[in-house]
Amino acid sequence: MSNNTPAIKEDRILIIDYGSQYSQLIARRVREAGVFCEMYPYDIDTSRIEEFGAKGVILSGGPESVHDENSPKINQALFDLNVPILGICYGMQAMADHFGGKVQASDVQEFGASTIEVTGSSVLLDGIAGEKENRLDVWMSHGDKVVEAPEGFDVIASTPSCPIAVMVNEDKKYYGLQFHPEVTHTLQGDVLLSRFVHQVCECAGSWTPDNIIDMRVEQLKQQIGDKQVLLGLSGGVDSSVVAALLHKAIGDQLTCVFVDNGLLRLHEGDQVMQVFAENMGVKVIRVDAEDRFLTALAGEADPEAKRKIIGKTFIDVFADAARDVSQGSDGKPVEFLAQGTIYPDVIESAKSHQGKAHVIKSHHNVGGLPDDLQFELVEPLRDLFKDEVRKLGIALGLPHKMIYRHPFPGPGLGVRILGEVKKEYADILRQADAIFMQELERSGWYEKTAQAFAVFTPVKSVGVVGDGRRYAWVIALRAVETIDFMTARFAHLPYELIETVSNRIMNEIAEVSRVTYDVSSKPPATIEWE
Ligand SMILES: Nc1ncnc2c1ncn2[C@@H]1O[C@H](COP(=O)(O)OP(=O)(O)OP(=O)(O)O)[C@@H](O)[C@H]1O
Ligand SMILES: O=c1[nH]c(=O)c2[nH+]cn([C@@H]3O[C@H](COP(=O)(O)O)[C@@H](O)[C@H]3O)c2[nH]1
Ligand SMILES: NC(=O)CC[C@H](N)C(=O)O
Ligand SMILES: [Mg+2]
């Protein structure tokens, strides 16, 4: 399989992950400061560290103690880059240990809000302590602490229980923070990180939507040349933004394929075709593949196996469509397949972590792809978070309604029908889901939730209708609030709204006898049920 994310020539920060709960937040804060960054696990190959082209490095926190036998060490290659390094919590402790300082288990563990007293000067902290002179409200979460700073480091801040809260080596531009600047509870944390990337690492703040668009369009032109590209278009945010980028870059060398896999929402196919005809000016072919998908899924109940089957069937359908397109363009084969893959798809399919992170679920467009893929992939959004993709969409002039649609996963109802997928179940679920969507729109809650849908549970329950017994299916409703889909809280919908939806579903769909509302957050649950 060939993977192709165009290389970025922007100023970039390398984040090394030692397993902190907050590592993702570091990446988000750095990007919010207008600087591109990527995060890799601590044991990333030295060659990749060298290739990355970092103008600065941030070492995350982590659960381990530097004294543990197999605790992660800092790869010497990071110091050999001769760029500024910021160590946060475990990152600071590991840096102290590396340079011969002393780290000890603390008698008093600090978890939560704390205030540091700034006693020295550094470009990172000067003038940001704010109203309370020389004091800064921070968020701590540690059991160990540095008790002796290594040679060359000055101690410039402390708390009563943590005498070395900040240590700096301004000559080398090495900084250690015992607290977490990436969490919002550290009030000036964003300013501090912004200073590190801009003032210390001297990165330009060029990670803005307009710049990203120009850069990506240029990269797409270089990658594709005069070849033909097929884009899997779902009508969702991500692939629509890819369509707009590709249209800008290569015009009519682009053909979009919209696949009706039989697992779409009610009337979804017609709506997508209409919106695209009205707004985009791109070629779109619609392929009706319901039978193909349902036949391939018959008899399979395992969520990962279902995802793999759906991923493979998508590719088979794309391959057939590619043959048709190439026949229409003088037999020139289509060499590129474009997809709206985004960063969370990659992270959760554990593709970014070289097999170290756990596979949570194989997103159909990443972990579900076959190994012998015959196309080169074009995935210009592969390193972006959802909210960044939306900003690009707005800057590209796509309609608000398209950009602020709730995401809909490619496997669609296939992962919302638990266990084996059957057309009968899909039809019931489509109706229930449509009722839920109508009521969310009507009440104004569609815009207030990030994603909402119904789930078909293969569970029967007894009800009573018109004095008769009804033994029928249970439908679950799910609605979540989230910015980046990496974590989510179940939406606190008004009871009246849930009541209206549940009454309508049970009254209008004879095959449903009960409705439940999912009150799980992510983690420990995930957004989709499979
Ligand atoms: N029905 C479909 N037909 C063609 N391609 C699809 C279809 N569903 C998904 N894909 C491909 O898989 C990719 C990933 O799907 P995903 O749902 O994550 O993204 P999206 O649909 O573009 O955006 P959103 O997350 O907002 O739904 C899509 O960007 C698209 O390339
Ligand atoms: O295109 C997709 N293909 C997939 O296989 C897939 N699985 C989950 N999702 C979407 O990803 C986000 C996070 O979902 P989870 O919390 O269930 O992992 C949510 O927005 C999910 O809808 C998918 N999107
Ligand atoms: N949050 C952290 O990085 C904690 C680091 C280390 N495990 C400690 O307890 O001190
Ligand atoms: Mg989608």
Side-chain angles (χ1 to χ4, degrees):
M1 181 176 103
S2 162
N3 250 348
N4 212 328
T5 310
I8 298 152
K9 296 162 199 81
E10 289 296 305
D11 289 346
R12 30 172 55 201
I13 295 288
L14 175 60
I15 300 169
I16 299 293
D17 183 19
Y18 292 92
S20 162
Q21 299 293 313
Y22 308 127
S23 298
Q24 279 297 332
L25 291 177
I26 305 174
R28 300 197 51 73
R29 294 287 104 81
V30 170
R31 289 189 183 195
E32 278 161 15
V35 175
F36 181 77
C37 62
E38 271 182 340
M39 189 172 81
Y40 289 94
Y42 68 87
D43 57 354
I44 172 188
D45 289 344
T46 298
S47 61
R48 295 187 69 193
I49 291 176
E50 290 161 355
E51 275 159 30
F52 185 83
K55 288 197 77 174
V57 175
I58 300 179
L59 313 172
S60 85
E64 266 137 310
S65 172
V66 293
H67 298 301
D68 294 345
E69 208 180 319
N70 293 319
S71 63
K73 300 282 178 279
I74 306 179
N75 187 336
Q76 175 61 38
L78 290 167
F79 297 106
D80 294 342
L81 293 175
N82 285 318
V83 297
I85 299 184
L86 174 68
I88 297 173
C89 204
Y90 184 85
M92 168 192 189
Q93 296 163 2
M95 185 151 69
D97 188 58
H98 181 93
F99 287 118
K102 225 188 226 163
V103 180
Q104 256 179 19
S106 186
D107 309 336
V108 189
Q109 302 194 339
E110 275 186 300
F111 298 109
S114 182
T115 304
I116 58 166
E117 188 182 353
V118 182
T119 49
S121 162
S122 158
V123 57
L124 279 194
L125 291 181
D126 287 350
I128 69 170
E131 284 169 20
K132 286 184 267 169
E133 198 77 29
N134 294 332
R135 282 173 188 272
L136 198 64
D137 291 327
V138 300
W139 189 260
M140 295 272 197
S141 173
H142 66 120
D144 292 351
K145 62 184 176 193
V146 179
V147 291
E148 225 172 79
E151 215 183 299
F153 282 79
D154 295 325
V155 178
I156 64 157
S158 58
T159 74
S161 60
C162 177
I164 306 185
V166 179
M167 60 176 206
V168 302
N169 181 334
E170 297 279 6
D171 290 342
K172 293 267 186 203
K173 300 196 173 159
Y174 293 157
Y175 303 85
L177 308 176
Q178 184 53 65
F179 60 89
H180 289 269
E182 68 276 25
V183 305
T184 46
H185 305 277
T186 294
L187 292 183
Q188 305 267 33
D190 50 350
V191 181
L192 197 157
L193 284 170
S194 170
R195 283 200 182 174
F196 177 70
V197 297
H198 293 299
Q199 260 105 297
V200 180
C201 302
E202 298 178 5
C203 292
S206 52
W207 188 249
T208 62
D210 286 337
N211 280 335
I212 300 170
I213 291 169
D214 291 347
M215 215 161 67
R216 296 286 147 120
V217 164
E218 204 38 54
Q219 288 156 344
L220 287 169
K221 282 184 180 161
Q222 280 177 19
Q223 185 188 3
I224 297 161
D226 61 357
K227 308 262 169 56
Q228 296 284 323
V229 178
L230 197 72
L231 164 67
L233 181 77
S234 64
V237 181
D238 312 331
S239 51
S240 301
V241 170
V242 174
L245 278 175
L246 280 167
H247 189 55
K248 221 173 144 110
I250 58 162
D252 61 9
Q253 289 157 250
L254 168 68
T255 307
C256 303
V257 186
F258 170 69
V259 182
D260 183 342
N261 54 10
L263 303 168
L264 302 174
R265 288 190 145 133
L266 201 65
H267 308 312
E268 174 85 4
D270 298 338
Q271 279 164 12
V272 168
M273 295 304 287
Q274 193 195 337
V275 168
F276 269 79
E278 282 169 9
N279 294 294
M280 299 286 294
V282 294
K283 276 181 279 176
V284 186
I285 336 179
R286 175 177 181 161
V287 181
D288 180 4
E290 178 176 32
D291 285 346
R292 203 159 165 178
F293 276 85
L294 294 186
T295 307
L297 284 166
E300 184 55 70
D302 176 71
E304 277 297 290
K306 282 164 62 181
R307 284 172 170 277
K308 298 252 157 81
I309 291 171
I310 293 171
K312 170 158 192 322
T313 311
F314 261 116
I315 295 296
D316 291 347
V317 172
F318 290 149
D320 290 351
R323 261 191 298 280
D324 295 345
V325 171
S326 77
Q327 272 161 15
S329 51
D330 311 328
K332 267 198 262 162
V334 176
E335 292 175 31
F336 293 96
L337 174 67
Q339 299 198 109
T341 307
I342 65 171
Y343 201 29
D345 302 342
V346 179
I347 294 175
E348 301 221 334
S349 295
K351 283 282 164 175
S352 67
H353 280 194
Q354 301 176 305
K356 280 284 173 215
H358 291 185
V359 175
I360 306 297
K361 45 183 87 171
S362 303
H363 282 213
H364 75 283
N365 47 322
V366 185
L369 288 176
D371 291 333
D372 57 347
L373 189 68
Q374 57 177 328
F375 300 103
E376 182 173 329
L377 288 178
V378 175
E379 298 184 314
L381 309 179
R382 201 180 160 88
D383 49 12
L384 301 188
F385 290 102
K386 192 87 184 180
D387 46 322
E388 294 178 309
V389 173
R390 289 205 158 110
K391 286 185 193 143
L392 284 198
I394 296 293
L396 282 161
L398 297 182
H400 180 94
K401 204 169 168 198
M402 187 189 270
I403 293 306
Y404 285 93
R405 287 189 81 182
H406 288 179
F408 182 71
L413 306 189
V415 290
R416 294 176 179 175
I417 294 168
L418 306 189
E420 189 182 357
V421 176
K422 293 183 182 166
K423 178 159 167 51
E424 173 204 341
Y425 299 167
D427 288 337
I428 295 169
L429 180 55
R430 257 188 282 273
Q431 291 179 63
D433 185 77
I435 291 170
F436 190 23
M437 291 305 113
Q438 280 162 17
E439 294 302 331
L440 283 171
E441 298 259 15
R442 210 190 312 258
S443 61
W445 274 88
Y446 184 87
E447 297 256 334
K448 289 190 243 171
T449 49
Q451 196 171 11
F453 50 88
V455 175
F456 181 92
T457 71
V459 171
K460 280 193 164 180
S461 155
V462 174
V464 50
V465 277
D467 292 336
R469 171 186 159 98
R470 175 156 77 183
Y471 185 52
W473 302 112
V474 178
I475 289 287
L477 304 176
R478 176 88 165 129
V480 295
E481 293 166 3
T482 170
I483 301 282
D484 55 20
F485 298 86
M486 300 296 294
T487 58
R489 172 181 186 235
F490 76 86
H492 292 203
L493 298 182
Y495 278 145
E496 294 72 22
L497 173 59
I498 299 178
E499 188 175 23
T500 308
V501 176
S502 106
N503 281 338
R504 278 196 59 196
I505 291 176
M506 287 183 293
N507 285 325
E508 294 174 31
I509 312 171
E511 296 86 351
V512 179
S513 65
R514 198 172 291 262
V515 175
T516 67
Y517 186 59
D518 180 352
V519 292
S520 324
S521 290
K522 170 185 181 176
T526 56
I527 296 174
E528 303 289 344
W529 278 36
E530 282 195 342

